[in-house]
Amino acid sequence: MGVVTKTVGEALIDILEANGVDVVFGIPGIHTVELYRGLAASDIRHVTPRHEQGAGFMADGYARMTGKPGVALLITGPGVTNAITAMAQAYQDSVPMLVISGVNARASLGHGEGWLHELPDQRATMASVSRMTHTLHEPRDLPVVMERAFSVLQSRRPGPVHIEIPTDVMDNPIEVQASAARKLSGPRAASSDVAVLAEKCRGAKAPVILCGGGAVASPEKIRKLAQCIDAPVVTTVNARGLLAGDPLSVPASPSLAAVRALLAASDTVIALGTQMGQTDYDMYADGGFPELRDLVRVDIDPDQLTRGPAASLRILSSVELLLDDLLPELEDRKVDREGAARAKACRDAALSGLTPKMRTEIGLLETIRDSLPGCVIVGDSTQAIYSGNLFFEAGRPKGWFNAATGFGALGYGPPSAIGASLGEPDTPVVCLVGDGGFQFSLAEIGSARDCEANVIFLVWNNDGYGEIGTYMIECGIEPEGVTPSAPDFLKIADAYGVPSIRLDDVTELASALQRFADRKGPALIEIHETNTRGATA
């Protein structure tokens, strides 16, 4: 294709398609219709959520599964404010998300004249939850602005990028020409830093590797590093399943005493792509995380390297590029540092240190994992998810993620699971959500039905906000506001044409999962914490 004239909206769709976008999530409105002009003729699939927050969460789940930016297309005003919660979750968890919104006509911006969907400063409103935000004032700037957006999404710490297009710009003609998307990578470590780290690896007597969400794209390279230096690998919530089933894997929270003891006894700790934030490393806010000897931090974000525990070596690099450079320095060395024994001892101590109720809930998670090999479990903030975040080995990389960490948004699970399913259509996805959190995004059952997402909604019903009620009692506070009534979820599912079942006994779970996984489209299973036998210890 040579130079052609198209509207800004049509050219935008071409640019998205050229950059590998195959799904967008959004609800069209009069402030975005011109952005839809080229959509029907493209190969991009449009998925309509029931709420713009759902669009953001769907984009989040899609991005986590594919590694590509999830794209949300939103109207100005309430469309973008509805999506801010989803953007904040993605910002906290470093998930690539491209949010494209409308904004009122250029001449009206900043005047406060009461235009429909007007915000005093929409771009400023979005800035605090965006890695980049830009208003497209000139139509001709679209290609360079979008190139910059994808550069930020691909080569820096991931997170939401927001581009807003005024309504009087969307239908303007611009001359465009076909261009191939550029594949960018993150920063690469200095060779001197790689040499120092290699020497530390060779000299360590009891090394441990910490892996966060920034490491999920490199499971085999991390496995090779761990085996080479014989180091247990502790995975945070967003890295669970990274070394599924490996003797060196420690799928337990650094907030647990057993994991902290493992780290405290180590003489070298290599932290790969982990923020080392409070919700992973000090979940109970007890200040008990140990001081680490010879901590090495590897992160794509230079600012993050200045935060958190003191490190003897800070390396600015993507995890993948760092391992590409480090492994050749170590690949011929095989040592015995009792890594598997140290990992097993930590796993055993971590699990035994949990309450019987938590171990029962973890057993339920293991039933899901084992009944549907290769499945993905997407969670909301609910009790079984909290237990799994403390200890659970997902069956595969990217097989476990939820909103009970980082920003901690309720209602995340159902739409995110839909996005995950669209990212890997042939993979069974189980959304574990509480009766309280489900009501934040209950209507997204309809979205799942519309797009035939292979999601099994597993509702953990404890008649309200059980975790908060328990916490209030532990604090000596009379529980208040924690028992909102719930609908009959099976009737809701039936109203949307979604098959469902309420379990009498948890032993029925495996067969129910397998039965629903064999059909196309969503399904719903309810477990009641007290009415379903075996749900609690």
Side-chain angles (χ1 to χ4, degrees), residues 413-425:
S416 180
I418 294 169
S421 177
L422 295 174
E424 284 194 15

Side-chain angles (χ1 to χ4, degrees), residues 24-321:
V24 298
F25 305 93
I27 302 174
I30 61 171
H31 285 73
T32 55
V33 290
E34 280 297 334
L35 301 182
Y36 280 74
R37 185 175 294 278
L39 193 56
S42 75
D43 291 329
I44 297 176
R45 181 181 186 180
H46 184 275
V47 174
T48 307
R50 296 304 188 263
H51 190 280
E52 287 91 356
Q53 180 173 280
F57 286 146
M58 288 179 190
D60 178 300
Y62 174 89
R64 293 189 198 233
M65 292 308 302
T66 65
K68 301 191 297 184
V71 180
L73 196 56
L74 309 174
I75 65 165
T76 185
V80 294
T81 55
N82 283 344
I84 282 178
T85 296
M87 293 175 68
Q89 185 74 48
Y91 188 96
Q92 287 280 61
D93 285 351
S94 301
V95 176
M97 179 187 295
L98 177 57
V99 176
I100 300 169
S101 76
V103 71
N104 285 314
R106 288 169 291 182
S108 73
L109 298 181
H111 291 290
E113 296 172 337
W115 289 83
L116 180 66
H117 299 337
E118 184 178 60
L119 283 168
D121 189 338
Q122 180 173 284
R123 181 168 172 261
T125 300
M126 304 293 277
S128 67
V129 290
S130 302
R131 303 289 181 201
M132 163 193 164
T133 180
H134 184 89
T135 305
L136 186 72
H137 291 284
E138 294 295 334
R140 65 177 180 270
D141 291 338
L142 177 68
V144 69
V145 169
M146 294 304 296
E147 182 177 359
R148 180 180 165 218
F150 279 101
S151 175
V152 170
L153 288 163
Q154 293 177 4
S155 62
R156 303 183 193 174
R157 181 181 177 185
V161 166
H162 170 239
I163 307 297
E164 61 180 17
I165 304 177
T167 53
D168 64 325
V169 172
M170 295 177 185
D171 61 353
N172 280 205
I174 58 171
E175 291 186 345
V176 294
Q177 59 184 4
S179 60
R182 292 192 301 165
K183 181 62 179 176
L184 303 174
S185 59
R188 192 166 205 146
S191 58
S192 57
D193 286 340
V194 175
V196 172
L197 178 54
E199 186 59 33
K200 288 178 180 291
C201 289
R202 287 189 286 266
K205 303 298 183 185
V208 173
I209 299 171
L210 287 170
C211 288
V216 295
S218 306
E220 291 310 313
K221 293 174 184 177
I222 291 170
R223 187 187 305 273
K224 188 173 182 180
L225 173 63
Q227 292 172 345
C228 187
I229 65 175
D230 199 25
V233 178
V234 177
T235 46
T236 66
V237 170
N238 286 331
R240 291 290 172 79
L242 193 66
L243 265 66
D246 194 287
L248 292 170
S249 177
V250 180
S253 171
S255 295
L256 296 177
V259 180
R260 290 176 170 182
L262 173 71
L263 295 172
S266 173
D267 60 352
T268 300
V269 177
I270 303 171
L272 302 175
T274 173
Q275 186 181 21
M276 302 193 78
Q278 181 263 330
T279 55
D280 275 311
Y281 289 82
D282 194 16
M283 183 184 300
Y284 299 109
D286 59 13
F289 189 75
E291 185 175 343
L292 304 179
R293 289 183 287 167
D294 204 10
L295 172 64
V296 178
R297 296 193 64 186
V298 179
D299 204 284
I300 199 171
D301 184 356
D303 292 333
Q304 195 58 44
L305 288 172
T306 67
R307 306 183 184 112
S312 62
L313 178 63
R314 296 180 176 90
I315 299 178
L316 180 64
S317 177
S318 71
V319 171
E320 184 172 15
L321 291 177

